[in-house]
Amino acid sequence: MKVVNLKQAILQAWKERWTDYQWAINMKKFFPKGATWDILNLAEALLEQAMIGPSPNPLILSYLKYAISSQMVSYSSVLTAISKFDDFSRDLCVQALLDVMDMFCDRLSCHGKAEECIGLCRALLSALHWLLRCTAASAERLQEGLEASTSATGEKQLALCLRCLEKTLSSTKNRALLHIAKLEEASSWTAIEHSILKLGEILANLSNPQLRSQAEQCSTLIRSIPTMLSVHSEQLHKTGFPTVHALVLLEGTMNLTGEMQPLVEQLMMVKRMQHIPTPLFVLEIWKACFVGLIESPEGTQELKWTAFTYLKIPQVLVKLKKYSHGDKDFTEDVNCAFEFLLKLTPLLDKADQRCNCDCTNFLLQECNKQGLLSEANFANLVAKRTADRDPQLKSSENANIQPNPGLILRAEPTVTNILKTMDADHSKSPEGLLGVLGHMLSGKSLDLLLAAAAATGKLKSFARKFINLNEFTTHGSGESTKTASVRALLFDISFLMLCHVAQTYGSEVILSESSTGEEVPFFETWMQTCMPEEGKILNPDHPCFRPDSTKVESLVALLNNSSEMKLVQMKWHEACLSISAAILEILNAWENGVLAFESIQKITDNIKGKVCSLAVCAVAWLVAHVRMLGLDEREKSLQMIRQLAGPLYSENTLQFYNERVVIMNSILEHMCADVLQQTATQIKFPSTGVDTMPYWNLLPPKRPIKEVLTDIFAKVLEKGWVDSRSIHILDTLLHMGGVYWFCNNLIKELLKETRKEHTLRAVELLYSIFCLDMQQVTLVLLGHILPGLLTDSSKWHSLMDPPGTALAKLAVWCALSSYSSHKGQASSRQKKRHREDIEDYISLFPVEDMQPSKLMRLLSSNEDDANILSSPTDRSMNSSLSASQLHTVNMRDPLNRVLANLFLLISSILGSRTAGPHTQFVQWFMEECVDCLEQDSRGSILQFMPFTTVSELVKVSAMSSPKVVLAITDLSLPLGRQVAAKAIAAL
């Protein structure tokens, strides 16, 4: 008999009562090869015929089951066919369909094209919706059923529905496929959410608790599908987190003026990457603050730390609170962190002893004020600390010394008031303004106010106001002697303050983002061209030191002939710019015997007698000049610096002279430090009893820097945390050795570690050390060091576990941190360092994929089968196609180039025929990427991974899980979803 269509063939089989395998054989005869059964809609045709009567046709159902078992029909076509049935009143038909689904719902797979795999995702979504509707219909009928027999049947059917739902949803693979389907069809997912709500309402009145709890479990599983990637377990077995500790110490010691947001983001990044519970995270921040208070050197550093702890960190926590899911939870976490902190009584007592007050109390008050603690918790914590505190501390507190925390908290509103005062018109009441500034100079007021301004982000506007004041005082016309002296003082105080700010907090604070066309203020010009700074070499013959000769001559005459400096009509900025040339004239005259030492003394007394800024400008030039002289030529220049550094004992000085001299000496000491060390000279600056440069010159003399680096790292590792002195030594070494040297040697130290707990601690510490210049270190680590290790088989042994796992973790942490922050600006402490030329990375990794990169040539030369690890020229373009190209990421950016090439290298290692420790390393690297990922992988480093890598990765047993596939593919792209669906469906 010639069969016309599928329906006729099925009917003939039923009439002649063929067995299932006979049916299959005959079907293949009737329908020759060519069209697949799915195209002919076999599953749908069978179901349609089987469900014609009130009860299903068992023979035709057996054909369907045979077709499923022998893979004649795909799972997606069966699921789609089932989800089209909507007459839920036919119990036997529904039960038969549930029975068919039960056959395969927990072992779905598809080995076809990507489109077919996406089809399976969509079909599963439809089937889930059908199951939910079916469950709801069964539950409704159960509620309406009055007779006992109906009730029993209804319960049985509901149980069957829930069993099938549970079986489908308990498979992670199915949930992953549904996750993809949800992104493919948002409207269908909305329908499912509505069905869950409806089902919840119906089942709320259900008398059977077992069925109700089963339904709740299914609803929870469905709701967890959208967020199935963001579930990470927190580390509960650890109590110390050295990375957080070191990061806080680094910021407090070196970057008080830094913006708050980058710090908050970096801390959150560490919290996420290391899965730190919030209370322990906050506790670690407080611990670092207290350690900083205890170990900070006396003087400016001590005040900076106090400002950081009491003004900046509470604000950081307020910002962290926004990242937390609920305000109440966060205040509870902060309370919990303080509870833990109060148990560290020796630490708190030592801080109290150092600061001469109850530090914790001040901190609790500040947190309470910022809304980080509830009133009840605040009172409870204060009472606890008072009870635990060492009673001797109270009696030994010196009532005459005001504690720094109290002073800093009072200084903050004062800063705001001073800023308002400085906004007023200077010409109206210069004397009143002078009184305010004079008050600022006394004792440690200036450093207190600057620290408070720095910690609250007001230092830049503070500096701007002083630059404007300084600019205002450069000219005087038609003035009396009194007005002239006030103007001279205002010029001098503002100049000294600005120098002090630049030396203490970095010259970036002073510089304005001036728009083109605007005149650059005098102080900015002078600071950029004439002021010596660490790492800045000045040319004493530069035109900036050679102003108009007539002005120089008149200044020399004024200094040499008059008994003291004139003030009226004096253009101070011109005097400051001319003093360098004047000093050169005077030096030459002294060296040639034209002037005697007594004349030199008189001249230097004149220079520093009225305004100290002239002495600062003179020494600035002398420092540059001394560097250029031979050993035997330096004596007179150094003697002149000595003369300028000592104070003048005279009755005829201007107001606030002693206070100004203290600041001047501190400025001169900073300026001369480098040159005095290089010329092995000593100059005794008048002492204030405090080390003004505590972190300067920390390297031991005559020791190779590599030894110093390995030694300091070993000490830090043994101790388990980084202290501020070590941070400064490491920063100096990074400056001296350069980024590659620094990073390479520290990685070598990491790879020497063989104990697991040591390697993990080393990674935590290294990450925080690398934060000294994370961007540059990451470029070197991912662009040079890792490719070198992965492509050189003689180094593969060093990648064994545990150091290999540790290096993979460190590489991922650095990559994630740099990638998330490189859109922002480099912090001020990183701007000073030489930036690597972008061209270095362009030659290493060419933009056009058609050019073979050095890295890929390296690979191909190291591999027996060169075709597998060859340059991109030999590989089809689509093998290196990644999500980043579809997102049109800027590939001229060095970090993007380095990441893209690292993932190309990873891809080629996975596709290579040679396995070894380097393959294992790639697996650890990818596992760490997955472990650190957030919910949305778009914009993460994994977008640089070629799509083809996914299918290679799932061949590695440890990576063959649906969650891993979801995590490593960019699901925001249709192509990403297809790649993920294909990989998951084949698992």
Side-chain angles (χ1 to χ4, degrees):
M1 169 188 168
K2 189 171 186 323
V3 178
V4 179
N5 60 22
L6 206 54
K7 190 173 173 184
Q8 282 180 338
I10 295 166
L11 286 172
Q12 185 189 349
W14 172 64
K15 281 176 191 166
E16 296 179 14
R17 298 292 188 269
W18 294 345
T19 59
D20 46 17
Y21 67 90
Q22 267 182 318
W23 168 78
I25 293 165
N26 289 330
M27 287 298 278
K28 284 172 186 171
K29 284 180 190 166
F30 292 148
F31 296 91
K33 284 179 183 174
T36 63
W37 297 114
D38 277 4
I39 290 175
L40 294 169
N41 272 341
L42 176 61
E44 198 174 320
L46 283 168
L47 266 183
E48 205 177 284
Q49 293 304 313
M51 299 292 157
I52 284 173
S55 65
N57 183 322
L59 186 62
I60 296 179
L61 270 184
S62 74
Y63 298 159
L64 177 63
K65 288 178 182 175
Y66 187 87
I68 293 168
S69 302
S70 60
Q71 296 188 350
M72 280 174 74
V73 290
S74 66
Y75 292 129
S76 55
S77 66
V78 180
L79 290 171
T80 309
I82 290 174
S83 58
K84 286 180 180 172
F85 181 85
D86 55 4
D87 188 355
F88 298 120
S89 60
R90 291 153 66 188
D91 293 348
L92 294 170
C93 289
V94 170
Q95 282 173 27
L97 291 175
L98 290 170
D99 193 32
V100 171
M101 265 190 89
D102 195 54
M103 280 175 65
F104 61 84
C105 66
D106 57 348
R107 52 184 180 84
L108 296 176
S109 64
C110 173
H111 297 274
K113 293 178 182 170
E115 292 79 11
E116 291 167 32
C117 300
I118 285 283
L120 177 62
C121 297
R122 290 185 163 136
L124 184 58
L125 192 65
S126 307
L128 176 65
H129 192 206
W130 181 82
L131 275 172
L132 286 168
R133 282 164 46 225
C134 185
T135 311
S138 307
E140 273 179 336
R141 288 183 59 211
L142 178 60
Q143 279 181 352
E144 290 161 9
L146 304 169
E147 300 164 26
S149 61
T150 331
S151 171
T153 320
E155 245 183 43
K156 184 186 169 193
Q157 185 157 319
L158 181 58
L160 272 173
C161 288
L162 288 171
R163 181 167 161 266
C164 197
L165 253 180
E166 200 168 22
K167 195 171 176 183
T168 306
L169 292 165
S170 59
S171 149
T172 312
K173 179 176 175 176
N174 287 356
R175 292 203 303 280
L177 293 171
L178 286 164
H179 185 89
I180 296 169
K182 169 196 169 284
L183 298 168
E184 280 285 319
E185 296 188 357
S187 55
S188 305
W189 186 258
T190 314
I192 280 178
E193 285 176 329
H194 286 314
S195 301
I196 299 173
L197 290 171
K198 186 183 170 190
L199 186 61
E201 287 164 14
I202 298 167
L203 292 173
N205 310 317
L206 200 65
S207 56
N208 186 328
Q210 191 184 345
L211 290 176
R212 201 164 58 236
S213 82
Q214 206 177 352
E216 278 166 10
Q217 275 176 342
C218 291
S219 300
T220 309
L221 279 171
I222 295 172
R223 287 197 183 97
S224 73
I225 289 169
T227 57
M228 66 187 291
L229 283 182
S230 56
V231 184
H232 285 301
S233 56
E234 292 187 326
Q235 289 199 44
L236 298 172
H237 58 282
K238 275 184 73 175
T239 51
F241 298 94
T243 311
V244 179
H245 190 102
L247 250 181
V248 174
L249 273 174
L250 182 74
E251 282 291 314
T253 312
M254 301 185 115
N255 201 23
L256 182 62
T257 52
E259 283 179 36
M260 229 175 286
Q261 195 54 35
L263 171 61
V264 171
E265 283 169 14
Q266 198 164 22
L267 284 168
M268 276 311 290
M269 174 68 81
V270 172
K271 182 179 187 296
R272 269 198 307 270
M273 292 191 304
Q274 299 187 13
H275 311 311
I276 308 174
T278 310
L280 295 180
F281 173 65
V282 177
L283 168 69
E284 202 62 57
I285 293 175
W286 290 139
K287 270 162 56 179
C289 287
F290 277 92
V291 169
L293 285 174
I294 294 165
E295 67 168 25
S296 57
E298 207 180 325
T300 315
Q301 287 299 328
E302 187 182 7
L303 296 177
K304 280 172 145 184
W305 254 109
T306 315
F308 180 71
T309 304
Y310 290 94
L311 298 178
K312 192 166 186 174
I313 289 292
Q315 289 301 328
V316 166
L317 287 181
V318 168
K319 283 188 180 285
L320 284 170
K321 184 177 179 180
K322 289 173 187 162
Y323 284 84
S324 144
H325 295 303
D327 280 8
K328 195 157 188 265
D329 298 348
F330 192 75
T331 49
E332 238 353 279
D333 287 335
V334 171
N335 176 51
C336 187
F338 271 118
E339 294 269 5
F340 289 143
L341 183 68
L342 293 187
K343 291 176 183 165
L344 306 174
T345 315
L347 175 77
L348 304 184
D349 284 353
K350 200 163 172 56
D352 286 2
Q353 190 182 347
R354 170 79 203 266
C355 297
N356 189 42
C357 67
D358 185 346
C359 295
T360 322
N361 200 337
F362 276 114
L363 197 54
L364 289 168
Q365 282 175 25
E366 202 52 29
C367 288
N368 184 35
K369 199 164 83 183
Q370 300 293 350
L372 295 165
L373 280 173
S374 65
E375 286 296 337
N377 287 340
F378 168 67
N380 174 34
L381 291 165
V382 168
K384 266 190 186 170
R385 175 59 189 146
T386 312
D388 293 344
R389 200 169 176 236
D390 185 346
Q392 286 184 330
L393 284 169
K394 186 74 188 154
S395 54
S396 64
E397 274 176 23
N398 187 340
N400 301 324
I401 301 173
Q402 286 190 301
N404 286 335
L407 289 171
I408 277 286
L409 291 167
R410 285 209 300 280
E412 190 208 2
T414 315
V415 169
T416 316
N417 293 335
I418 288 174
L419 287 174
K420 281 179 189 164
T421 310
M422 299 283 291
D423 276 335
D425 184 353
H426 304 316
S427 56
K428 286 185 179 163
S429 61
E431 287 89 351
L433 183 59
L434 183 61
V436 172
L437 298 188
H439 185 66
M440 276 173 69
L441 295 180
S442 60
K444 56 182 180 185
S445 298
L446 179 62
D447 282 330
L448 263 171
L449 292 166
L450 292 179
T456 50
K458 292 179 185 147
L459 190 60
K460 217 166 172 50
S461 57
F462 206 79
R464 192 77 346 236
K465 301 272 192 282
F466 278 101
I467 283 180
N468 294 341
L469 171 65
N470 185 264
E471 201 63 8
F472 162 74
T473 55
T474 49
H475 298 282
S477 53
E479 54 186 2
S480 65
T481 315
K482 190 185 175 192
T483 355
S485 66
V486 169
R487 185 171 66 84
L489 276 169
L490 288 175
F491 175 85
D492 200 37
I493 292 171
S494 58
F495 187 95
L496 293 172
M497 278 187 181
L498 288 164
C499 285
H500 184 61
V501 169
Q503 286 180 342
T504 314
Y505 294 98
S507 49
E508 299 80 23
V509 180
I510 307 283
L511 298 175
S512 59
E513 289 86 24
S514 59
S515 51
T516 47
E518 268 185 44
E519 197 179 332
V520 181
F522 154 70
F523 185 81
E524 272 190 55
T525 313
W526 180 83
M527 186 186 75
Q528 285 178 290
T529 51
C530 310
M531 183 174 166
E533 280 182 281
E534 190 188 352
K536 178 168 144 189
I537 305 294
L538 298 171
N539 172 10
D541 300 326
H542 190 276
C544 69
F545 292 120
R546 297 277 170 275
D548 181 0
S549 55
T550 51
K551 288 175 184 168
V552 175
E553 280 166 23
S554 59
L555 181 62
V556 171
L558 184 69
L559 292 169
N560 194 21
N561 302 330
S562 55
S563 57
E564 59 180 47
M565 274 303 257
K566 72 166 189 134
L567 303 175
V568 181
Q569 304 283 328
M570 187 70 175
K571 292 181 177 174
W572 292 111
H573 65 300
E574 285 183 4
C576 284
L577 290 171
S578 307
I579 192 82
S580 51
I583 289 284
L584 178 62
E585 296 281 323
I586 293 160
L587 257 181
N588 286 338
W590 185 18
E591 281 173 352
N592 294 319
V594 177
L595 287 175
F597 180 64
E598 290 71 31
S599 309
I600 298 297
Q601 269 183 315
K602 179 189 156 196
I603 289 170
T604 51
D605 285 354
N606 263 343
I607 291 173
K608 65 188 179 187
K610 296 289 186 200
V611 291
C612 299
S613 356
L614 276 181
V616 171
C617 295
V619 172
W621 178 81
L622 281 166
V623 164
H625 180 63
V626 168
R627 275 182 196 275
M628 304 297 167
L629 299 176
L631 262 175
D632 51 342
E633 299 170 312
R634 292 173 181 158
E635 184 46 44
K636 287 191 162 57
S637 300
L638 291 169
Q639 209 170 342
M640 195 172 253
I641 294 177
R642 280 193 194 93
Q643 287 295 320
L644 288 165
L648 177 71
Y649 299 104
S650 155
E651 297 296 311
N652 207 5
T653 53
L654 294 175
Q655 254 178 305
F656 312 118
Y657 185 67
N658 292 342
E659 289 88 344
R660 284 183 290 135
V661 165
V662 170
I663 299 176
M664 176 187 85
N665 279 318
S666 155
I667 295 166
L668 298 186
E669 193 174 345
H670 275 82
M671 276 185 180
C672 299
D674 270 357
V675 83
L676 293 181
Q677 186 193 21
Q678 286 160 11
T679 56
T681 316
Q682 279 191 323
I683 290 182
K684 192 86 181 106
F685 290 94
S687 170
T688 51
V690 171
D691 182 1
T692 52
M693 300 174 69
Y695 291 125
W696 188 77
N697 197 16
L698 293 174
L699 293 187
K702 297 180 184 172
R703 267 192 80 190
I705 55 172
K706 187 177 175 187
E707 260 181 47
V708 179
L709 181 67
T710 50
D711 199 36
I712 195 103
F713 182 64
K715 280 179 186 162
V716 161
L717 192 58
E718 190 184 341
K719 208 163 35 168
W721 55 283
V722 189
D723 57 287
S724 51
R725 192 170 181 277
S726 304
I727 286 175
H728 278 271
I729 294 176
L730 288 161
D731 190 49
T732 311
L733 291 168
L734 175 56
H735 270 282
M736 289 180 90
V739 182
Y740 179 81
W741 173 88
F742 184 77
C743 183
N744 193 31
N745 282 308
L746 285 173
I747 295 296
K748 280 179 187 169
E749 291 305 303
L750 170 65
L751 294 176
K752 283 179 198 168
E753 289 299 331
T754 50
R755 282 181 292 177
K756 192 162 187 179
E757 63 278 14
H758 267 207
T759 54
L760 186 61
R761 189 196 292 175
V763 167
E764 294 182 328
L765 292 166
L766 275 176
Y767 171 81
S768 50
I769 290 167
F770 287 169
C771 285
L772 284 166
D773 196 350
M774 184 54 87
Q775 290 289 329
Q776 293 294 306
V777 167
T778 305
L779 288 175
V780 163
L781 178 60
L782 305 184
H784 297 272
I785 294 171
L786 276 190
L789 289 167
L790 291 171
T791 54
D792 184 351
S793 53
S794 65
K795 292 179 182 167
W796 287 351
H797 65 91
S798 63
L799 296 174
M800 306 278 265
D801 192 32
T805 328
L807 179 58
K809 195 182 272 290
L810 179 64
V812 172
W813 287 2
C814 290
L816 285 172
S817 297
S818 292
Y819 190 72
S820 68
S821 67
H822 90 300
K823 300 171 189 81
Q825 292 301 305
S827 74
S828 58
R829 67 164 188 275
Q830 291 170 7
K831 282 179 192 159
K832 293 178 192 170
R833 202 167 285 119
H834 160 71
R835 316 270 19 108
E836 292 224 20
D837 191 353
I838 189 165
E839 294 306 320
D840 299 351
Y841 287 92
I842 287 176
S843 63
L844 184 65
F845 311 125
V847 178
E848 298 78 17
D849 235 344
M850 292 301 109
Q851 282 179 284
S853 65
K854 282 185 196 170
L855 184 126
M856 281 300 168
R857 289 201 296 275
L858 242 176
L859 286 176
S860 53
S861 64
N862 257 0
E863 180 60 48
D864 299 334
D865 185 354
N867 295 330
I868 290 170
L869 281 183
S870 61
S871 62
T873 9
D874 307 331
R875 306 164 75 206
S876 59
M877 183 59 197
N878 67 349
S879 67
S880 61
L881 179 69
S882 66
S884 61
Q885 286 158 302
L886 299 176
H887 288 311
T888 59
V889 168
N890 171 22
M891 290 312 283
R892 293 199 71 78
D893 179 275
L895 183 62
N896 293 347
R897 313 171 68 74
V898 165
L899 284 166
N901 275 271
L902 180 66
F903 278 107
L904 266 179
L905 171 55
I906 283 174
S907 184
S908 44
I909 287 172
L910 286 168
S912 156
R913 292 177 192 169
T914 313
H918 64 310
T919 325
Q920 184 72 60
F921 177 86
V922 165
Q923 181 194 316
W924 291 323
F925 183 89
M926 295 306 298
E927 280 175 355
E928 191 58 35
C929 281
V930 172
D931 195 40
C932 295
L933 265 186
E934 289 176 83
Q935 171 65 44
D936 177 18
S937 65
R938 166 159 190 186
S940 93
I941 59 170
L942 284 171
Q943 66 175 318
F944 294 98
M945 182 183 71
F947 286 121
T948 48
T949 311
V950 178
S951 55
E952 295 292 346
L953 259 180
V954 290
K955 293 174 189 170
V956 181
S957 58
M959 303 296 284
S960 61
S961 90
K963 274 193 180 181
V964 168
V965 177
L966 286 183
I968 61 179
T969 42
D970 188 337
L971 300 173
S972 64
L973 294 168
L975 184 55
R977 293 196 288 274
Q978 285 179 22
V979 169
K982 192 171 187 324
I984 293 170
L987 286 176

